[in-house]
Amino acid sequence: MNSRRTFLQHLTVSAGILPFAIGSSAYIQPESEYIPEVQDGPVLKVALMGLGSYADRVAKAMQDCKRAKITGLISGTPDKLESWGAKYDVPEGSRYNYENFDAIKDNPEIDAVYIITPNAQHHGQCLRVAAAGKHVICEKPMSINAQEGKEMVEACEKAGVKLLIGYRMHFEANTLNAVRKRQNGDLGEVKFFQGLSGFIIGDPTQWRLDKDLAGGGAMMDIGIYAINGARYMVGEEPIWVTAQEVKTDPVKFKEGVDETITFQLGFPSGVIASCLSTYSMNYLDKFFLLGDKGFVEMQPSTGYGPIKAWSHDGDITKPHVTHQTTQMDQMAAIIYDGKKPEIPVDGEEGLKDMKIIDAIFLAVKSGQKVNLNLG
């Protein structure tokens, strides 16, 4: 089954031939200078919920983690529980299905649950995990609308547990380097951002094309990268959005399942972000941030890596480290050490993206500019 994740993986292979290097005089620092340090501390014991293709990627990456370990499994497929349990040394007593996973409450070998299930299931599963007293790590988008996201934040706050969203790019070296260049004034005054996110989706029967499971189409899958990227690259919160939808295949993309949406975000400083989210075009994984003194460009910008980045003064690509390995180690530090990430990954961060997605769908429907209040 094709997915954004398969596409992004393939995209990085072809990206090696892109003309990303502008000049060759940029100083290349030793690899050790870019890899985020992981302080010694307690190991986060994690149960993976939803044992699909992305969970497989996360599980493999976690084998290299210093502070996160797989200690539990939750799935509706008994065969997966058995095979994954054997592969990752998870005892039968820490394997659960979707009916009985509330029993994790009494399992001291589970500190957190990483929810990697279809979007529409995140809300209910998050509330149950929080009620069991375990920290929640939830894949993006955190829910199918802002109301559900708000309830997830409130449930975790009430239970006294952390809610973190799987924004792996917030820990990625090239992304952080690009953001720092803007913060340091290397680009001057920011003027414009472009975010392109898309691929041609395959199997028409997959859950990502089922509105009841996905909550939409491309926007709820690949489009959130452009939304979230616009926010951390520009360094402001948008105050309005306009959007237009194009649908060329109403059979594959049924009512409520978007094929292609172009959208524009306006920021308080006057910066405009022009973005595209699509399930019908390949080779779209690009960020471009322009200032009055320079620019930063990334392509691929959100794939599994290696990410490629360059600016007006040369190649700024950092060495590749598996994103999910860094993500899980850093999330352990957030939960146990109170570490504050450079770019937030908490529930409030996820909720802001959901408010923007709600507004994009409203702008498509109404044809009008929709004001945003992300406070």
Side-chain angles (χ1 to χ4, degrees):
M1 179 176 70
N2 291 331
S3 69
R4 69 174 177 198
R5 300 179 175 102
T6 303
F7 161 73
L8 292 174
Q9 182 182 18
H10 290 168
L11 180 59
T12 59
V13 175
S14 61
I17 62 174
L18 292 172
F20 62 86
I22 302 177
S24 58
S25 61
Y27 168 59
I28 303 300
Q29 295 172 291
E31 181 173 345
S32 61
E33 292 187 34
Y34 324 115
I35 301 175
E37 293 185 6
V38 180
Q39 302 297 325
D40 291 337
V43 173
L44 184 67
K45 295 175 284 190
V46 180
L48 300 180
M49 176 186 288
L51 306 182
S53 61
Y54 190 66
D56 181 59
R57 183 178 291 274
V58 171
K60 290 175 180 175
M62 286 182 66
Q63 302 314 294
D64 294 324
C65 284
K66 296 180 179 178
R67 293 196 55 185
K69 179 183 178 181
I70 301 170
T71 60
L73 299 168
I74 304 169
S75 173
T77 306
D79 289 348
K80 286 187 177 181
L81 289 172
E82 183 176 353
S83 61
W84 283 55
K87 183 175 183 178
Y88 296 109
D89 196 26
V90 176
E92 289 189 22
S94 292
R95 305 175 196 172
Y96 303 87
N97 59 44
Y98 295 125
E99 286 70 44
N100 67 12
F101 76 79
D102 306 274
I104 61 173
K105 179 179 182 179
D106 301 316
N107 191 336
E109 293 304 309
I110 296 175
D111 302 322
V113 175
Y114 194 162
I115 299 173
I116 315 176
T117 55
N119 306 334
Q121 298 174 358
H122 293 176
H123 173 262
Q125 291 166 345
C126 172
L127 268 55
R128 290 172 65 185
V129 172
K134 306 297 182 179
H135 300 294
V136 179
I137 303 171
C138 184
E139 253 313 296
K140 59 193 177 300
M142 67 183 295
S143 57
I144 60 171
N145 56 53
Q147 180 58 39
E148 286 194 354
K150 180 174 182 290
E151 291 171 3
M152 292 165 68
V153 171
E154 292 172 347
C156 289
E157 288 177 348
K158 181 179 179 180
V161 299
K162 295 282 188 182
L163 171 58
L164 305 179
I165 311 302
Y167 290 116
R168 58 187 167 82
M169 302 311 299
H170 293 200
F171 306 104
E172 195 275 324
N174 291 285
T175 301
L176 292 176
N177 189 42
V179 169
R180 290 168 189 159
K181 286 184 76 67
R182 185 256 302 158
Q183 292 172 332
N184 295 339
D186 293 352
L187 311 183
E189 183 180 350
V190 175
K191 297 293 187 179
F192 175 76
F193 172 78
Q194 181 186 51
L196 306 178
S197 300
F199 64 96
I200 297 175
I201 198 165
D203 181 8
T205 66
Q206 64 181 283
W207 70 263
R208 290 178 181 83
L209 295 176
D210 183 336
K211 184 179 184 298
D212 291 339
L213 288 175
M219 184 60 63
M220 297 295 289
D221 181 9
I222 195 73
I224 193 170
Y225 284 99
I227 293 170
N228 191 250
R231 294 174 52 231
Y232 63 67
M233 293 293 283
V234 172
E236 300 178 52
E237 299 295 6
I239 56 176
W240 58 259
V241 62
T242 55
Q244 307 80 36
E245 180 177 5
V246 175
K247 186 173 292 192
T248 65
D249 187 347
V251 175
K252 188 173 186 178
F253 303 100
K254 297 178 175 59
E255 181 68 26
V257 179
D258 51 285
E259 177 183 351
T260 299
I261 293 179
T262 56
F263 60 97
Q264 303 76 42
L265 298 169
F267 295 84
S269 65
V271 174
I272 300 295
S274 178
C275 303
L276 182 147
S277 164
T278 185
Y279 266 161
S280 63
M281 289 178 271
N282 276 337
Y283 312 114
L284 290 175
D285 184 9
K286 176 181 176 180
F287 285 176
F288 177 75
L289 183 66
L290 178 69
D292 61 4
K293 294 181 180 179
F295 70 89
V296 169
E297 190 164 5
M298 301 168 68
Q299 186 173 356
S301 57
T302 61
Y304 293 135
I307 302 300
K308 303 295 183 183
W310 60 99
S311 75
H312 58 282
D313 55 7
D315 181 18
I316 58 172
T317 301
K318 305 300 185 185
H320 174 65
V321 179
T322 302
H323 300 171
Q324 295 82 2
T325 303
T326 303
Q327 171 195 329
M328 295 308 293
D329 272 337
Q330 293 297 318
M331 286 185 166
I334 292 170
I335 290 172
Y336 284 131
D337 307 343
K339 183 174 182 178
K340 185 177 181 180
E342 293 186 46
I343 307 174
V345 293
D346 57 16
E348 291 291 348
E349 175 78 357
L351 181 55
K352 289 176 181 179
D353 283 342
M354 294 316 306
K355 289 179 178 179
I356 296 172
I357 289 177
D358 283 357
I360 287 173
F361 288 148
L362 179 57
V364 166
K365 185 177 181 178
S366 67
Q368 302 296 315
K369 176 188 290 187
V370 176
N371 292 326
L372 293 165
N373 180 5
L374 304 186

